Amino acid sequence: MSARNAAGRRELAYAVLLCLAGAGLAAWTATLAWETGEIVRQDPMPLVTEGRTGRQLLPWLWALALVGLAGGGAVLATRGWLRRVLGGLLALLGLALAAGGGDGLVADRSGGFDWQWPAICLLGGLLAAAGGLLTALRGHRWPAMGARYERPSNRPAAGGPVGGRGTVDAWDALDRGEDPTVS
């Protein structure tokens, strides 16, 4: 393996890990209580403390985090210009996740507020954006999945049991009760 190929594989691994870690952090923090408040009930019922998650406060945050997780995995399956476009989209998505965390930090919330979860969400968004930016800038140079990951074809070459004819002939053979895969 050449030094350039090894460096490309290492950069690919870093980018995928950044995207997955960032989107994973954002998804995790979106499920935690960002704000808590007390619900007043009639006497003699006690006060109830209720928490609102980042997912409840910003419903789009959870969806973007899941898309970021899927996009991080998709970096492995793409190549060339498609990988660069995907990297740009992941960078934008990471910035949107960071904006959601930033909004959670600066929004005027009533009641108790846990600042650490929006801050971790902001960090996760920045990590995902860094992975997307790295992919957009250098992804076209990285190695792609090879043919060893593709399913081998058991079909015979042209001129097999159907005799190299089109698929219509194969369907006609099936209609007659013949198996076009057997010679």
Side-chain angles (χ1 to χ4, degrees):
M1 182 183 320
S2 70
R4 181 178 177 197
N5 196 11
R9 288 186 189 278
R10 194 171 30 255
E11 286 178 0
L12 173 63
Y14 291 151
V16 169
L17 288 175
L18 281 171
C19 289
L20 293 177
L25 274 175
W28 174 63
T29 58
T31 62
L32 300 172
W34 287 16
E35 110 179 318
T36 55
E38 293 181 342
I39 299 173
V40 179
R41 301 189 321 182
Q42 294 179 359
D43 285 335
M45 302 293 286
L47 293 175
V48 175
T49 303
E50 180 182 73
R52 293 183 65 197
T53 65
R55 188 175 175 180
Q56 292 170 325
L57 296 171
L58 303 168
W60 51 268
L61 189 66
W62 172 256
L64 282 185
L66 292 181
V67 170
L69 286 170
V75 168
L76 294 171
T78 57
R79 67 173 76 175
W81 66 268
L82 184 60
R83 184 180 279 170
R84 292 182 82 175
V85 169
L86 178 63
L89 291 174
L90 284 171
L92 292 174
L93 184 132
L95 291 176
L97 290 173
D103 177 57
L105 285 174
V106 300
D108 185 26
R109 306 265 189 232
S110 61
F113 180 70
D114 290 331
W115 62 270
Q116 70 269 19
W117 306 131
I120 294 174
C121 181
L122 180 115
L123 174 66
L126 292 176
L127 287 174
L133 186 63
L134 181 61
T135 302
L137 295 177
R138 301 188 51 92
H140 65 287
R141 299 179 189 164
W142 299 338
M145 289 190 336
R148 68 177 179 209
Y149 297 108
E150 295 178 9
R151 185 176 180 180
S153 175
N154 293 332
R155 303 177 100 199
V162 183
R165 297 172 292 194
T167 56
V168 174
D169 293 331
W171 284 108
D172 289 340
L174 284 173
D175 287 340
R176 290 189 304 268
E178 300 171 8
D179 185 357
T181 62
V182 177
S183 18

